[in-house]
Amino acid sequence: EMKIEDVDVRKISREFGTPVYVYSMESLRRSIEEIKQLVPVARYAMKACSNVHILKEMLAHGIQIDAVSVFEVKRALRAGFKRADICFTSDVFADPEDVRFCLENDIFTNCGTLGMLEEYGCAFTELGLGNNRVSIRINPGEGAGHSKKTNTGGPYSKHGIWYQNLDETRAIAKKYGLIISGVHMHIGSGGDMEHLKRITGKLVDFARQFEDMEVINFGGGLPYRYDLGQPQEDISGYKAILAERVKVLENHFGRKITCEIEPGRRFVAGCGYLIGEVRALNHTFDEDSKRLDYVLGNIGFCHLLRPMAYGSFHPIWFVGDDLGPEQDIIVAGPVCESGDVLTQKDEEPVPRRLPLPKAGDLIVVGGAGAYGFAMASNYNTQPLVPEVVVDGDQVLLTRRRQTLDDMLREETIGD
């Protein structure tokens, strides 16, 4: 047996089918309260999971929003957030109309490149409207990530204005009458508390160079451990670190400075599960004639990309009657790609010690709340799966399963 809060996973699978994403509201609320204690302003990096029910839960608890596209901004507005609750962070305006939207709607904008800052200033001057107060994202010259693909700082990251180019940001701001009132940094997800302690000191040094500075945003990157065999890292000590950093700035400027952070993964990773079904067993033999056992389910990388994209670890459970003894198992999916493996590392399948299931048993993947559904695709013409929230013994469908007609609706067929 396995339950999410008070609801048996088999009940969920019977009612909504598989695969299906499930979010525990109890777990989410614990994460929200944990993070709210750290800073005056906690933003949710909504790219991690933008389901409207998740967004409304954030709103109800006073969490603000970090959006990385104008469509995310619009999505947050539709969920009920006020314009003042939203910060738009990007390296570019993906569409020429994006900058107009931000100016017309007074969306506080965090520019991650000199070019984006220039475009904002130019539009601000030409349109004669909007906010002349902006933030800049700084690349401090180093980063951290559980994968190179999640490292968002250093010379090989596209994100942020290089720390040696800050004079140019001031020149651009002066040219267009902009005020740089915020500084921001996010170096990736995968660092530890010692690294966060050191890198926050760097941002303070950069912030002191901007005389109109009002807001310092230390980004996200809070550690999260997916392996339930390891204790979750305690982040409560981050509060004292951030308070000390802000005190330095307030003493320097002689005024109040607002401190912000914007986690995504730490908010929602642990509240999410992906439930699937075992469809078949298979096996091969390696060059040493060692048998390799595969469990093939209906969860593929079109549903959960992280293992294939980053070699990420996710806890996995099987639920069924009469599970076999534990043995080394490779868990894979239905997608027509050799990389469609849930248990892998460094682009190689890695067996995991698990009880042997049979066809029809359930697969439950944990730690799926962050960058799970948000990164899903229609590859192999697989429909996007439903999303369900569990709150105590209550179960609510918050996104229905996509159909083939849904997938084909936007296509056009010529005569």
Side-chain angles (χ1 to χ4, degrees), residues 255-271:
R255 62 176 182 269
K256 179 72 175 176
I257 300 296
T258 300
C259 175
E260 300 183 355
I261 58 173
E262 51 181 38
R265 183 174 62 149
R266 184 80 186 205
F267 267 121
V268 294
C271 80

Side-chain angles (χ1 to χ4, degrees), residues 91 110-117 135-141 158-169 172 180 184 206 210:
D91 300 314
N110 183 31
C111 299
T113 58
L114 294 171
M116 183 179 178
L117 183 63
S135 177
I136 59 167
R137 176 174 180 169
I138 300 172
N139 184 331
K158 66 178 182 175
H159 300 291
I161 297 169
W162 190 248
Y163 69 99
Q164 294 172 318
N165 294 337
L166 299 184
D167 285 343
E168 294 179 56
T169 65
I172 293 171
I180 297 176
H184 168 278
F206 299 140
F210 294 91

Side-chain angles (χ1 to χ4, degrees), residues 101-234:
F101 177 87
C102 290
L103 288 165
E104 288 179 343
N105 290 276
D106 199 18
I107 301 297
F108 188 59
T109 300
N110 183 31
C111 299
T113 58
L114 294 171
M116 183 179 178
L117 183 63
E118 181 97 28
E119 185 174 359
Y120 187 95
C122 185
F124 171 75
T125 301
E126 290 181 356
L127 296 174
L129 54 80
N131 195 343
N132 72 331
R133 308 184 89 78
V134 295
S135 177
I136 59 167
R137 176 174 180 169
I138 300 172
N139 184 331
E142 61 175 291
H146 57 81
S147 161
K148 289 182 179 179
K149 298 170 187 174
T150 64
N151 187 324
T152 55
Y156 299 104
S157 170
K158 66 178 182 175
H159 300 291
I161 297 169
W162 190 248
Y163 69 99
Q164 294 172 318
N165 294 337
L166 299 184
D167 285 343
E168 294 179 56
T169 65
R170 282 186 285 272
I172 293 171
K174 182 177 181 181
K175 177 180 177 182
Y176 295 106
L178 301 178
I179 295 174
I180 297 176
S181 64
V183 294
H184 168 278
M185 178 174 62
H186 175 58
I187 58 169
S189 297
D192 55 29
M193 295 306 295
E194 281 301 313
H195 190 257
L196 286 172
K197 181 177 181 179
R198 182 171 57 80
I199 203 70
T200 53
K202 272 195 170 185
L203 185 58
V204 167
D205 290 339
F206 299 140
R208 292 170 68 168
Q209 301 178 36
F210 294 91
E211 60 184 19
D212 298 306
M213 218 269 299
E214 299 171 345
V215 179
I216 185 165
N217 187 318
F218 292 100
L222 294 178
Y224 180 83
R225 289 180 178 154
Y226 288 85
D227 189 343
L228 301 182
Q230 301 178 8
Q232 194 56 260
E233 186 153 358
D234 182 8

Side-chain angles (χ1 to χ4, degrees), residues 309-325:
Y310 311 129
S312 300
F313 179 96
H314 284 266
I316 294 174
W317 303 270
F318 295 119
V319 178
D321 298 324
D322 301 320
L323 294 175

